[in-house]
Amino acid sequence: MKVIVTKSYEESCRAAANEIITQVQKKPESKLGLATGGTAEQVYPFLVDAYKEGKVDFSRITTVNLDEYIGMDPDSLQSYRSYMACRFFGPAGIDAANTYVPSGRNKAEDEIQLFNEKLYEDKMVDLQLLGVGVSGHIGFNEPGEKLTAGVHIEKLDESTIAANSRFFDSPDDVPKEAITMGIGDIMKAEKIVLIATGENKVPVMKALLTDDEITCKIPATMLKMHRDATIVIDAELAKAAGYQN
Ligand code: F6R
């Protein structure tokens, strides 16, 4: 894995955005795998700025998002479709027809089939953006005795429900399941860029960057097996996780 240590979370977002911009400049018809969540949120304004400054053209990209809560209406403000539409697709001039965010409302088996078609039709994901959960999840692949390779419905870890309750009125409102790319799907991306920040990610980053173990109990550790994974963290998190370049 390549590790980029930046001065601040803002610089991490700029660095992650630059990876995406470079990818699209090199290959304008890139297929991007995209993430939502609090950490990835500030990556998108850098992409939008680059688009507005004419540095990058997103008109030929296609996108596939990692996941969505089961039961979530795509039209709801809390949906990952709305998140992507207002933070990236709309302001960066991306045609919604070239994007796929799984629906949490469709019949599970139909949506899993559609997700697989979108993931694997034409070409594989060129670059996958990831955040990481306090549980160690990537996408919504939660820790356990085993992991799942393909697209599936995942029961969310208690720690994920607690962490994500900040986006809802109460913890009871957080959906308990999600549809997600599997670990195998994520690992098939040509290139992976993971961004992390904050004290609550220290144990996971320690497991990823300073321990040698690969374990289903911390799904992000699977990234140690990827050929081209870049981890972007700020100096504060690197220090707290005991990482030294
Ligand atoms: C979101 C996703 C999740 C988040 C993770 C971190 O699409 O797949 O894995 O990246 O839960 O979320 P934050 O950044 O809010 O801590």
Side-chain angles (χ1 to χ4, degrees):
M1 291 182 304
K2 181 178 154 196
V3 183
I4 300 177
V5 180
T6 67
K7 288 205 180 88
S8 62
Y9 165 59
E10 189 185 353
E11 288 308 309
S12 292
C13 292
R14 190 193 305 278
N18 282 342
E19 297 281 337
I20 296 171
I21 291 164
T22 304
Q23 169 68 38
V24 176
Q25 285 169 337
K26 269 199 266 175
K27 185 177 172 189
E29 70 284 9
S30 288
K31 183 167 184 172
L32 301 181
L34 297 174
T36 59
T39 316
E41 193 173 358
Q42 295 307 321
V43 173
Y44 295 111
F46 285 105
L47 298 180
V48 171
D49 286 352
Y51 161 74
K52 288 189 174 155
E53 288 159 16
K55 291 183 183 150
V56 62
D57 173 12
F58 292 116
S59 65
R60 290 168 61 197
I61 66 165
T62 51
T63 72
V64 181
N65 262 73
L66 280 165
D67 42 30
E68 177 57 286
Y69 294 114
I70 291 297
M72 182 63 74
D73 182 343
D75 292 331
S76 146
L77 280 179
Q78 280 155 326
S79 77
Y80 289 164
R81 163 58 69 187
S82 299
Y83 174 116
M84 294 306 304
C86 74
R87 288 170 181 81
F88 185 40
F89 302 152
I94 298 165
D95 185 346
N98 297 334
T99 70
Y100 172 72
V101 182
S103 165
R105 268 294 171 90
N106 283 352
K107 203 168 137 203
E109 61 188 67
D110 293 348
E111 196 60 28
I112 288 171
Q113 190 184 339
L114 182 62
F115 203 154
N116 274 305
E117 283 166 18
K118 295 292 178 181
L119 255 177
Y120 296 114
E121 74 188 357
D122 302 333
K123 52 192 172 220
M124 310 290 273
V125 168
D126 291 294
L127 185 153
Q128 176 68 55
L129 177 66
L130 294 178
V132 63
V134 286
S135 65
H137 70 216
I138 47 177
F140 273 131
N141 293 276
E142 297 289 17
E145 292 303 315
K146 58 185 175 61
L147 295 169
T148 305
V151 173
H152 64 286
I153 310 294
E154 180 89 18
K155 187 172 174 299
L156 298 179
D157 197 84
E158 286 301 326
S159 65
T160 301
I161 292 171
N164 289 6
S165 64
R166 70 193 197 279
F167 300 116
F168 293 83
D169 291 337
S170 90
D172 289 344
D173 293 342
V174 186
K176 307 289 178 280
E177 291 181 319
I179 179 166
T180 182
M181 283 187 206
I183 288 284
D185 299 316
I186 293 172
M187 294 292 279
K188 281 182 192 141
E190 285 292 326
K191 182 177 176 68
I192 290 178
V193 176
L194 180 145
I195 179 167
T197 190
E199 209 184 341
N200 60 357
K201 305 289 169 69
V202 171
V204 173
M205 295 320 284
K206 190 172 173 309
L208 184 59
L209 300 178
T210 65
D211 300 346
D212 206 26
E213 201 177 52
I214 294 173
T215 169
C216 299
K217 295 190 174 129
I218 309 172
T221 59
M222 297 292 146
L223 297 176
K224 294 177 194 183
M225 291 187 283
H226 195 274
R227 214 175 324 107
D228 188 1
T230 299
I231 313 299
V232 188
I233 51 171
D234 46 80
E236 201 179 326
L237 177 53
K239 185 163 179 246
Y243 175 77
Q244 286 167 335
N245 316 47

